[in-house]
């Protein structure tokens, strides 16, 4: 049994194995319909319990399909309907019950400490479905999407992020170290990645490139990523923050500064005003393929967690 909490803590060779498995499985089920089960039903009889303390569309649906396509089932809990959510039951006791009733636990929460505590008390795998510091299932799936579209290892590509230093970027930074790709980040000075993540990159003898000028950040990019300027439950002065990002909007003009053939645009969704409709809905954008790939990669993440990855 293995947890899937932060890309930083997962060996690169395991991440590579997950991507390879997802690639095989995606091809093999080309002719199957949505709820048909993969050959061999590797997670037959297994229950994945999902709990969301924050909104979700894609993560909820993709985990539902992922476990179903592997032959298992899922149950989604709303934290405010649990004793834990009302403050009346401890994480330790809740975790004990989840471990007795279920086989895996997927958690989306506003507290990294809570993910850690669940990992401490659960005897079943916990998967981080987004926390303040990390969105690992999203970013591993994004690596898969980039390689699928570009048909080459991500280590041979220039990846660029234009936007806030948030959970998705933290996971992308972790991925840049694990998969050895060049990552350029464009953001206002005030919203640069934090000291901790930068120190972690340094400790791993790697580099990330930070620019406070969006045009410089996108130069030479094969892939341009973005995300909302205001994340879920972001407790900042929203107006001020949006104003600080006014020169970081991704429109066709900014895309053209990559000066590279075939630059693509990716975004984890939901979107805000950080990208123009023309780019988001345009030819260079692959956001719908990106969203659907989460099903395929999360299936292989589940198999990894359940110790069933071939
Ligand atoms: N990208 C993503 O995680 O979407 P949801 O918040 O809808 O799950
Ligand atoms: N950074 C965003 C990602 C949403 C999927 C958030 O935390 O709201």
């Amino acid at each position: 049994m293995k947890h899937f909490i932060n890309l930083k803590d997962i060996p690169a060779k395991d991440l590579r194995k997950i991507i390879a498995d997802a690639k095989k499985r995606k091809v093999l089920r080309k002719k199957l319909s949505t709820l048909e089960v993969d050959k061999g039903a590797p997670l037959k009889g297994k229950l994945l319990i999902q709990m969301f303390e924050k909104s979700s569309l894609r993560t909820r649906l993709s985990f539902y399909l992922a476990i179903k396509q592997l032959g298992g089932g899922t149950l989604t809990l709303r934290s405010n309907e649990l004793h834990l959510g009302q403050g009346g039951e401890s994480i330790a006791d809740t975790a004990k019950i989840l471990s007795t009733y279920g086989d895996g636990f997927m958690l989306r929460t506003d507290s990294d400490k809570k993910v850690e505590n669940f990992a401490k008390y659960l005897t079943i795998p916990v998967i981080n479905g987004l926390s303040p510091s990390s969105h690992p299932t999203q970013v591993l799936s994004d690596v898969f999407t980039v390689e699928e579209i570009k048909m080459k290892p991500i280590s041979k590509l220039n990846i660029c992020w234009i936007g806030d230093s948030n959970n998705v970027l933290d996971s992308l930074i972790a991925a840049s170290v694990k998969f050895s790709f060049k990552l350029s980040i464009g953001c206002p000075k005030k919203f640069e990645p934090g000291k901790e993540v930068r120190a972690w990159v340094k400790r791993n003898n790697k580099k990330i490139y930070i620019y406070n000028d969006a045009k410089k950040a996108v130069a030479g990019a094969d892939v341009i990523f973005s995300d909302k300027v205001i994340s879920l439950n972001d407790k900042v002065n929203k107006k001020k923050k949006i104003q600080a990002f006014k020169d970081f909007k991704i429109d066709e003009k900014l895309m053209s500064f990559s000066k590279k053939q075939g630059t693509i645009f990716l975004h984890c969704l939901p979107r805000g005003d950080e990208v123009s409709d023309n780019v988001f809905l345009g030819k260079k954008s692959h956001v719908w393929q990106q969203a659907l790939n989460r099903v395929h990669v999360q299936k292989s993440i589940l198999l990894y967690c359940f110790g069933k990855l071939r």
Side-chain angles (χ1 to χ4, degrees):
M1 162 199 114
K2 290 196 166 82
H3 298 309
F4 195 89
I5 295 177
N6 194 316
L7 296 183
K8 285 182 197 154
D9 306 324
I10 303 171
K13 69 168 192 346
D14 289 358
L15 297 173
R16 211 6 110 196
K17 221 170 143 188
I18 293 171
I19 290 196
D21 183 73
K23 203 168 164 184
K24 269 191 256 157
R25 279 184 185 279
K26 184 172 177 181
V27 173
L28 284 174
R29 64 170 296 117
K30 262 207 168 115
K31 291 201 177 113
L32 299 186
S33 52
T34 315
L35 284 177
E36 270 182 275
V37 175
D38 282 11
K39 200 170 157 224
L43 294 188
K44 187 171 173 212
K46 301 286 185 197
L47 174 64
L48 175 72
I49 301 173
Q50 305 197 59
M51 187 164 94
F52 293 91
E53 295 186 339
K54 301 165 90 170
S55 322
S56 169
L57 174 65
R58 286 141 285 264
T59 306
R60 183 190 307 262
L61 289 176
S62 53
F63 269 107
Y64 176 85
L65 287 185
I67 187 91
K68 284 270 182 190
Q69 291 182 0
L70 293 169
T74 181
L75 176 74
T76 300
L77 303 175
R78 289 191 206 151
S79 55
N80 63 349
E81 290 174 357
L82 304 187
H83 298 284
L84 170 73
Q86 312 287 340
E89 187 158 29
S90 66
I91 289 190
D93 289 357
T94 305
K96 178 79 189 164
I97 296 298
L98 293 173
S99 304
T100 351
Y101 279 60
D103 301 289
F105 183 51
M106 203 289 311
L107 175 65
R108 170 170 288 199
T109 174
D110 243 342
S111 157
D112 283 301
K113 190 88 203 135
K114 197 176 266 182
V115 185
E116 263 174 48
N117 274 332
F118 268 113
K120 184 168 154 199
Y121 293 114
L122 285 166
T123 54
I124 57 175
V126 59
I127 298 172
N128 179 359
L130 185 148
S131 69
S133 75
S134 175
H135 197 1
T137 63
Q138 173 73 55
V139 168
L140 190 59
S141 174
D142 293 347
V143 172
F144 175 92
T145 302
V146 167
E147 295 192 338
E148 182 175 67
I149 296 168
K150 291 291 185 182
M151 292 190 290
K152 49 172 94 153
I154 197 166
S155 57
K156 297 205 173 357
L157 298 166
N158 290 334
I159 308 297
C160 170
W161 171 273
I162 299 291
D164 191 22
S165 293
N166 60 18
N167 41 12
V168 180
L169 177 59
D170 269 14
S171 286
L172 192 62
I173 292 173
S176 79
V177 170
K178 296 284 171 174
F179 290 95
S180 288
F181 59 79
K182 185 178 174 204
L183 178 61
S184 305
I185 297 162
C187 61
K189 180 102 194 120
K190 192 169 168 224
F191 296 96
E192 287 183 355
K195 275 193 199 129
E196 218 173 284
V197 68
R198 288 163 79 155
W200 178 81
V201 171
K202 217 170 167 187
R203 277 204 301 284
N204 282 276
N205 301 316
K206 294 273 174 22
K207 232 183 136 173
I208 48 173
Y209 301 83
I210 302 172
Y211 303 90
N212 301 133
D213 177 340
K215 293 187 212 73
K216 285 191 182 148
V218 301
D222 295 291
V223 183
I224 299 175
F225 275 100
S226 193
D227 185 13
K228 280 175 93 151
V229 170
I230 309 291
S231 278
L232 287 164
N233 305 359
D234 204 344
K235 293 183 186 60
V236 287
N237 181 322
K238 296 191 171 93
K239 257 194 178 157
K240 267 196 183 160
K241 190 167 177 187
I242 288 170
Q243 177 64 17
F245 275 89
K246 73 175 177 5
D247 295 330
F248 293 83
K249 181 157 178 154
I250 300 155
D251 52 19
E252 283 172 328
K253 180 110 202 281
L254 183 60
M255 291 291 290
S256 75
F257 279 101
S258 82
K259 298 246 182 325
K260 213 157 182 188
Q261 274 264 308
T263 302
I264 62 166
F265 175 76
L266 293 176
H267 190 299
C268 64
L269 288 150
R271 64 172 153 145
D273 287 333
E274 64 284 349
V275 53
S276 71
D277 274 358
N278 281 346
V279 169
F280 191 85
L281 302 170
K283 283 210 178 78
K284 292 176 180 163
S285 168
H286 294 264
V287 294
W288 310 121
Q289 178 178 349
Q290 177 188 8
L292 191 57
N293 273 339
R294 296 205 45 205
V295 177
H296 300 291
V297 175
Q298 282 160 201
K299 284 165 71 178
S300 306
I301 291 174
L302 285 168
L303 290 169
Y304 167 76
C305 290
F306 283 88
K308 296 234 170 169
L309 200 64
R310 280 170 288 140

